[in-house]
Amino acid sequence: MKIDGHTHTQYCPHGSGDDVQLMIEKAIELGFDEYHITEHTPIPSSFQNVLKPDEAVASLSMSENDVDDYIKEMTKVRDQYKDRIRIKIGFEYDYLPSESVWFKQFLKEYGKYCDTGLLSIHYLEGKDGWQCIDYKAEDTLSGLVNYYGSVEAFQLAYYDNVKQSILDDLGPLKPTRIGHMTLCNKFMQFLKCEDTEKIINKQIEVLKLVKEKNYILDYNTAGLFKEYCGETYPPNHVVEIANSLNIQFMYGSDSHSVKDIGRGYEVYSSTIK
């Protein structure tokens, strides 16, 4: 079965604005059997004032006021296309360790409408508050790498947050698929990231926890098309370790536009057996 497990919609303010129906039509054209709609969860209002850089906040996720409309519209779209492609609806949960109560309430309220989802890390504690790790390379350098003292220390902090997201008890409706496990590598060429022994050991810790909790991994091809990345999330050496642990993967284009649908699928199909 050909599945895209990670896509976004016109509700994402940093996307293209392309209507989800056009994206689904493209997926059908490319022969996908199943299509997962996984829009970013809102940033809790209690967290917005500590998130940096200020100009990024409004672009990172949909408003809490849009969630009901998102669920209603995606349910309608699922019904509309039910004879042509199987559609699943959910969220990419942007995990924040300080907001567990909010996430539990969100899952309680909206989880019953969902049949898919991802658990992702996009934010880390950094300079003057919390920083988005994948907004701009310069901001990641100044707000996170310099805050932690080195690229390695920044990445280790990122993987510790991934581990915490897995361990946090958010209730029975919590997603069990980890989104783009190595997103801290998005600006790897700009930051001159290297897979040090400490980083590889930390990646192994994450993978062992994924296996222990029976989670699966997003094989996210978006990094192949990013200016400073050029590799999948996760890259091949992490895939090899995951394979040795019999961890399951699901392809994710992380599409934010029609043109992104299916990107890098041939890499996934030739790598994941």
Side-chain angles (χ1 to χ4, degrees), residues 7 23 45-46 48 62 76 89 111 119 127 144 147 158 167 174 189 218 231 237 263 265:
T7 71
M23 298 172 76
S45 56
S46 58
Q48 291 183 18
M62 77 170 93
K76 182 178 178 180
I89 301 167
L119 190 62
K127 180 182 177 182
L144 289 167
Y147 174 82
Y158 167 82
L167 292 169
K174 175 186 176 183
Q189 294 170 22
D218 175 32
E231 67 179 25
H237 78 274
R263 60 180 173 179
Y265 187 82

Side-chain angles (χ1 to χ4, degrees), residues 61-273:
S61 66
M62 77 170 93
S63 164
E64 289 188 63
N65 295 329
D66 289 335
V67 177
D68 287 342
D69 288 340
Y70 165 74
I71 291 289
K72 290 176 183 177
E73 184 171 349
M74 297 310 123
T75 301
K76 182 178 178 180
V77 167
R78 179 175 62 192
D79 293 341
Q80 178 182 342
Y81 284 93
K82 65 182 180 181
D83 295 328
R84 300 177 65 191
I85 190 170
R86 184 181 184 186
I87 293 175
K88 292 191 173 187
I89 301 167
F91 294 91
E92 181 178 9
Y93 290 83
D94 297 332
Y95 175 75
L96 299 164
S98 63
E99 300 293 335
S100 292
V101 172
W102 185 92
F103 276 104
K104 285 180 182 179
Q105 183 57 41
F106 188 92
L107 281 162
K108 183 178 180 180
E109 185 171 357
Y110 294 106
K112 58 191 173 185
Y113 302 111
C114 301
D115 50 8
T116 189
L118 298 115
L119 190 62
S120 298
I121 299 293
H122 289 93
Y123 313 111
L124 278 181
E125 188 172 4
K127 180 182 177 182
D128 299 326
W130 284 68
Q131 298 274 339
C132 180
I133 70 170
D134 62 330
Y135 179 58
K136 292 181 180 179
E138 295 81 3
D139 290 323
T140 299
L141 175 60
S142 62
L144 289 167
V145 173
N146 291 346
Y147 174 82
Y148 287 99
S150 68
V151 173
E152 181 185 67
F154 150 63
Q155 292 190 302
L156 293 174
Y158 167 82
Y159 289 118
D160 281 337
N161 272 256
V162 176
K163 289 175 63 179
Q164 188 170 352
S165 74
I166 298 171
L167 292 169
D168 200 347
D169 181 10
L170 298 177
L173 298 176
K174 175 186 176 183
T176 56
R177 179 159 41 111
I178 299 300
H180 39 57
M181 174 188 151
T182 58
L183 185 63
C184 60
N185 281 347
K186 180 176 179 179
F187 305 125
M188 58 184 296
Q189 294 170 22
F190 180 87
L191 300 175
K192 297 180 172 56
C193 300
E194 295 182 0
D195 292 317
T196 66
E197 183 178 357
K198 285 184 179 180
I199 288 174
I200 292 173
N201 286 339
K202 189 68 71 171
Q203 291 169 339
I204 292 171
E205 289 178 18
V206 173
L207 291 172
K208 287 182 176 179
L209 194 55
V210 167
K211 178 62 177 179
E212 177 188 333
K213 299 297 183 181
N214 200 31
Y215 280 29
I216 69 174
L217 293 177
D218 175 32
Y219 187 90
N220 191 305
T221 56
L224 291 169
F225 306 92
K226 301 302 181 184
E227 179 182 6
Y228 296 121
C229 188
E231 67 179 25
T232 54
Y233 311 124
N236 288 341
H237 78 274
V238 176
V239 171
E240 290 175 3
I241 299 168
N243 284 340
S244 73
L245 296 171
N246 295 315
I247 291 171
Q248 182 182 346
F249 286 92
M250 182 181 289
Y251 165 77
S253 66
D254 208 345
S255 296
H256 289 71
S257 67
V258 172
K259 68 179 178 61
D260 295 338
I261 298 296
R263 60 180 173 179
Y265 187 82
E266 69 284 355
V267 177
Y268 165 79
S269 61
S270 64
T271 302
I272 306 299
K273 306 301 182 185

